[in-house]
Amino acid sequence: MVYETIEDAVEGAKNVLEGNWTGHSTVPAWGLYPHQWAWDSGLTAIGYAHYDQGKAESELLSLFRGQWKNGMLPHMLFSKECPDYFPGASYWEVRRSPNAPRDIDTTGCVQPPVHAIASYEIFKDSKDTDRARRFLRKIYPSLCAWHDYLYRERDPDRDGMIYIRHPWESGRDNSPVWDEVLARPQFDRDEIPIYTRTDSDDWKRDGRPNDRHYDTYIYLCELFKKADYDEEEIRENCPFLVQDLLFNSILVRSGRCLAEIARAIGADPRQHDERADLTVFSMRDRLWSDSKGIFLPYDRVDGKMLDHHEVGGFSPLYGDVPTPEQAKRMCDLLHSKYFCPVDCDDCFAITSYSRSDVDYDPLNYWRGPVWININWIIARGLRGYGYHDHERWIVKSIRDLPMKNGFRERYHAETGEPQGGVNFSWSAALFLDCYYEGLFNELEDLHPIKQSFSG
Ligand code: 9WN
């Protein structure tokens, strides 16, 4: 055990965040991730919101310094202290776009839009409501511009479902769900620049994306650069355009929070709710697979669903997307040998990919391991649908995995062994969120849930 008591672990989580604090924001983990990442910052702010409102506000406000003129919130803001990171500021050449900020270096793609959710959590958790309202007034226009960008530039069909154009935008980089789309671009090695990976020199040992996938990530970035980051041109040429479930589900939940924020500051909430309604309607109508009992992402280039049992398929619970009947089927599948060890006797929570699939790999990044942030998102979704026992099993893992192994980036899906980044911010922050929400107090009478799904 790394932490003997909850109090020790709470202290440990705060120390992790303190250690990763740069003075205005928090890095995901020193070493592997020494810059500011967009959805990491949002999730981290949710942890700070419970005990340090100043840091929570600063985390988000400093992130929005990187917002582009067209509203795009880039997936990373680069610190000048770590110039050796690849692909770093000099690689992205974002100033090819008139929209990119001049005084701060960023990437040219996005990540799941958790920021209105985080802003609203700061308001809800605050003991100083006047101050929190001032914060909301300050950040509201930036949040609106961010959501406007997504619905304007990433939803050409105007059906409320926005597309992502790079696996990095999904937050689940090398999930097997992207494999067939990533295999699509045929290019020679000399069509992309020679580069050295800084994330790993042995992807197998480190459980990172393989070299071919990394080359394709870079190939896609080259395409963005050639288009000078013009979205219309990118859309015409990009072989990776996917309506992703996690991204759109988070967008719905964020849209609802944006509506709440509008109400709290006396602005008009209607547009936010209407957009969220449209996204929900389209996802339910178009992305549900009745044969699989789960939602599936849509590949806009080939015009078909990406047929996988992948953890993103459960994220619509978080956006309140499924009907109660759909939610019941998702829940049965979630609590089956595919995603969760039988009977939950020693549950390590939801795996990132189905355990029965040939591409499942409990050691490799988004191809199997358990991630705290995804489990937190699904747990919140389950709560909304009244699946309290299922939620509690997940919350138990969010408590037990770090207490046993420390606040790590991810954990082995079957043994709970820690993997990847050490002292990882969102694992610490979301542990703190569950603690302060009192969720760890509700775990006493936990008993195995009978599986109703035989598979
Ligand atoms: C690329 C920082 C980020 C997370 C992503 C996770 C990983 C980066 C990487 O780390 O992505 O953006 O180098 O693999 O997949 O979700 O935001 O923690």
Side-chain angles (χ1 to χ4, degrees):
M1 285 298 266
V2 174
Y3 301 108
E4 290 299 331
T5 65
I6 279 282
E7 290 70 29
D8 288 348
V10 167
E11 201 51 35
K14 289 183 179 173
N15 288 339
V16 164
L17 295 183
E18 180 69 34
N20 291 345
W21 178 250
T22 63
H24 52 75
S25 62
T26 314
V27 298
W30 290 114
L32 199 49
Y33 306 115
H35 301 281
Q36 186 172 17
W37 263 261
W39 82 313
D40 298 66
S41 267
L43 297 174
T44 300
I46 291 173
Y48 284 135
H50 292 284
Y51 69 100
D52 192 332
Q53 189 173 338
K55 277 190 176 166
E57 292 179 5
S58 171
E59 187 74 44
L60 291 176
L61 292 172
S62 72
L63 179 67
F64 275 94
R65 288 176 307 151
Q67 186 166 36
W68 288 28
K69 272 195 206 128
N70 60 354
M72 187 181 91
L73 184 64
H75 110 285
M76 287 173 67
L77 267 61
F78 292 108
S79 135
K80 296 212 184 316
E81 323 265 296
C82 303
D84 294 338
Y85 180 87
F86 182 84
S90 60
Y91 170 77
W92 285 88
E93 297 176 24
V94 291
R95 295 203 181 91
R96 287 163 173 259
S97 163
N99 291 315
R102 304 288 121 173
D103 51 349
I104 188 149
D105 294 320
T106 77
T107 62
C109 61
V110 300
Q111 270 194 326
V114 292
H115 312 94
I117 300 170
S119 302
Y120 190 56
E121 292 285 331
I122 293 174
F123 174 68
K124 277 200 312 184
D125 294 339
S126 174
K127 289 170 195 70
D128 182 348
T129 319
D130 287 345
R131 175 185 172 158
R133 238 190 220 99
R134 278 200 301 280
F135 163 70
L136 289 186
R137 283 207 183 90
K138 194 163 178 186
I139 201 158
Y140 180 70
S142 314
L143 292 170
C144 290
W146 170 212
H147 285 221
D148 287 350
Y149 160 81
L150 290 172
Y151 282 102
R152 188 184 65 242
E153 310 254 341
R154 300 296 191 98
D155 176 22
D157 307 327
R158 298 289 173 254
D159 59 7
M161 293 194 292
I162 74 96
Y163 67 74
I164 56 169
R165 52 167 155 84
H166 197 292
W168 286 335
E169 297 202 319
S170 73
R172 312 182 311 290
D173 311 2
N174 74 337
S175 168
V177 77
W178 316 130
D179 286 0
E180 65 180 282
V181 188
L182 285 178
R184 183 173 294 147
Q186 297 297 318
F187 58 93
D188 290 331
R189 192 62 191 67
D190 58 12
E191 284 179 61
I192 57 171
I194 295 169
Y195 68 93
T196 306
R197 289 177 66 161
T198 53
D199 64 314
S200 156
D201 49 23
D202 179 350
W203 62 267
K204 272 200 190 132
R205 180 199 58 213
D206 297 334
R208 294 279 305 174
N210 67 34
D211 287 338
R212 169 68 199 180
H213 281 167
Y214 229 83
D215 282 353
T216 314
Y217 300 161
I218 298 307
Y219 172 85
L220 292 171
C221 295
E222 287 297 305
L223 197 137
F224 306 156
K225 280 171 29 175
K226 269 187 214 121
D228 293 335
Y229 295 98
D230 177 82
E231 197 59 39
E232 214 176 307
E233 197 177 326
I234 293 175
R235 202 183 301 135
E236 267 164 33
N237 301 313
C238 188
F240 188 110
L241 295 177
V242 176
Q243 287 167 323
D244 176 42
L245 300 164
L246 180 70
F247 201 112
N248 278 288
S249 303
I250 287 178
L251 181 61
V252 170
R253 183 114 176 183
S254 250
R256 302 287 182 212
C257 288
L258 207 44
E260 289 304 326
I261 293 173
R263 284 184 195 98
I265 61 172
D268 187 352
R270 274 173 306 181
Q271 187 190 30
H272 309 308
D273 274 328
E274 281 163 17
R275 280 173 171 170
D277 289 344
L278 178 63
T279 308
V280 168
F281 173 83
S282 297
M283 287 180 79
R284 226 181 246 171
D285 190 47
R286 302 242 321 274
L287 304 187
W288 171 250
S289 161
D290 210 38
S291 57
K292 276 210 146 50
I294 193 173
F295 284 80
L296 300 176
Y298 185 74
D299 170 6
R300 262 186 110 254
V301 173
D302 244 12
K304 64 176 175 57
M305 313 276 242
L306 296 171
D307 198 355
H308 288 258
H309 273 139
E310 186 259 337
V311 76
F314 299 106
S315 58
L317 291 163
Y318 186 58
D320 217 357
V321 175
T323 62
E325 294 73 32
Q326 288 170 338
K328 165 83 180 71
R329 291 198 51 202
M330 289 165 80
C331 210
D332 287 346
L333 180 60
L334 193 57
H335 188 66
S336 71
K337 61 183 181 188
Y338 295 139
F339 287 94
C340 197
V342 178
D343 277 347
C344 275
D345 271 346
D346 204 2
C347 187
F348 293 114
I350 311 304
T351 57
S352 44
Y353 198 64
S354 163
R355 291 151 56 97
S356 65
D357 199 283
V358 285
D359 293 321
Y360 167 72
D361 178 351
L363 289 169
N364 191 312
Y365 217 39
W366 291 98
R367 305 179 80 85
V370 166
W371 291 72
I372 297 275
N373 65 331
I374 297 288
N375 274 276
W376 179 90
I377 285 169
I378 294 175
R380 287 218 161 184
L382 289 165
R383 188 191 316 175
Y385 280 86
Y387 287 101
H388 194 46
D389 278 346
H390 294 73
E391 177 207 350
R392 291 195 305 158
W393 273 107
I394 297 180
V395 169
K396 179 179 180 299
S397 290
I398 293 177
R399 180 192 68 183
D400 293 351
L401 285 168
M403 283 193 66
K404 194 160 168 232
N405 306 291
F407 295 96
R408 296 292 296 266
E409 183 181 22
R410 53 187 199 269
Y411 303 88
H412 189 292
E414 285 148 41
T415 65
E417 292 286 310
Q419 302 171 357
V422 181
N423 293 334
F424 203 77
S425 291
W426 73 36
S427 302
L430 298 175
F431 174 94
L432 288 171
D433 178 66
C434 292
Y435 170 77
Y436 281 109
E437 293 278 328
L439 303 184
F440 295 152
N441 301 333
E442 299 176 7
L443 302 178
E444 276 80 41
D445 59 335
L446 211 46
H447 44 80
I449 305 168
K450 277 276 148 285
Q451 289 187 15
S452 54
F453 183 82
S454 57

